[in-house]
Amino acid sequence: MGKKLIGIFGGSFDPPHKGHSIISSISIKKLKLNKLFWVITKKNPLKKKPFFKLANRLKKCKKVIKDNKKIELKYLDKTLKSSKTINILKYFRKKNKNAQFFIIIGADNLISFHLWNNWKQIVKLSKLVVFPRTGYDKKAKKSVIVNHLNKKNIIFIKTKRINISSSKIRRYYLN
């Protein structure tokens, strides 16, 4: 059997939605993933406090992924005393020595990826998988990271735009 292929889809999932599950399904299919971990964090370090409580988000995530056996939900903030991608990646690498890892992000995250803790090490230990986001794609393809990486460490997924986002859902709750 070949190398195990593992995806890591991290975030606050505030709230989780159909777009997250579509991205997950596409990732599993296109990358031929054996496993995809949804790694939920208490709080995104680059954003203000979450809208929904962690317990609520965990419950909603379980509901969204319940029908897909390849997706597993993890909350590692307490275990790792961190929500940083580099620490999450090292945790999974220790448990899966010979696996190939994929970090799944949106084009909006690629633009600020160079601000992430130990980003150069993240891209050495994994491949970045970038999904299109309306209004961010052109900027993402000209980002610091794209200029730094060679083409084999970054995969731009070509798919229809998923016109749903957690921020749109939160705005709905506020109105």
Side-chain angles (χ1 to χ4, degrees):
M1 201 170 107
K3 224 179 209 187
K4 201 171 179 187
L5 304 175
I6 298 174
I8 299 171
F9 188 18
S12 54
F13 295 95
D14 188 25
H17 52 71
K18 187 143 183 70
H20 291 126
S21 63
I22 293 168
I23 287 168
S24 299
S25 296
I26 293 169
S27 297
I28 289 165
K29 190 174 174 188
K30 286 198 178 200
L31 304 168
K32 297 175 177 32
L33 297 179
N34 300 96
K35 185 62 119 179
L36 175 63
F37 291 101
W38 275 26
V39 183
I40 190 169
T41 61
K42 192 170 185 168
K43 181 192 172 305
N44 178 329
L46 301 177
K47 292 182 182 172
K48 291 184 196 109
K49 77 180 191 100
F51 188 82
F52 292 99
K53 287 186 176 3
L54 177 64
N56 184 288
R57 291 182 280 132
L58 284 163
K59 197 164 89 180
K60 285 181 191 293
C61 282
K62 284 177 188 163
K63 199 171 170 183
V64 172
I65 66 173
K66 75 175 181 339
D67 294 330
N68 195 325
K69 302 285 177 255
K70 287 194 173 188
I71 302 174
E72 191 177 319
L73 180 64
K74 290 279 189 191
Y75 172 64
L76 299 170
D77 288 14
K78 281 186 177 149
T79 307
L80 302 178
K81 306 222 180 333
S82 168
S83 63
K84 297 193 182 324
T85 302
I86 188 62
N87 296 330
I88 292 164
L89 183 56
K90 285 178 178 177
Y91 167 86
F92 283 117
R93 283 177 55 90
K94 204 180 281 182
K95 294 196 168 301
N96 303 277
K97 297 258 187 260
N98 297 318
Q100 165 74 55
F101 288 91
F102 299 88
I103 304 291
I104 297 155
I105 63 172
D108 55 327
N109 282 308
L110 186 63
I111 294 165
S112 60
F113 193 82
H114 64 286
L115 301 174
W116 291 25
N117 199 288
N118 291 319
W119 68 269
K120 286 182 180 175
Q121 195 177 10
I122 293 169
V123 295
K124 274 185 191 152
L125 301 176
S126 66
K127 289 186 185 217
L128 279 186
V129 179
V130 183
F131 275 80
R133 291 285 305 262
T134 304
Y136 294 99
D137 297 344
K138 278 188 180 130
K139 215 174 179 181
K141 288 190 173 157
K142 292 178 180 157
S143 67
V144 172
I145 302 302
V146 172
N147 292 327
H148 174 79
L149 289 179
N150 56 28
K151 292 279 187 265
K152 65 180 191 279
N153 274 39
I154 191 164
I155 301 165
F156 285 95
I157 299 289
K158 286 175 178 56
T159 185
K160 281 193 303 194
R161 285 202 190 0
I162 299 154
N163 202 13
I164 185 171
S165 71
S166 294
S167 42
K168 275 185 186 175
I169 295 169
R170 287 191 304 269
R171 276 195 298 275
Y172 171 81
Y173 278 98
L174 292 170
N175 292 328

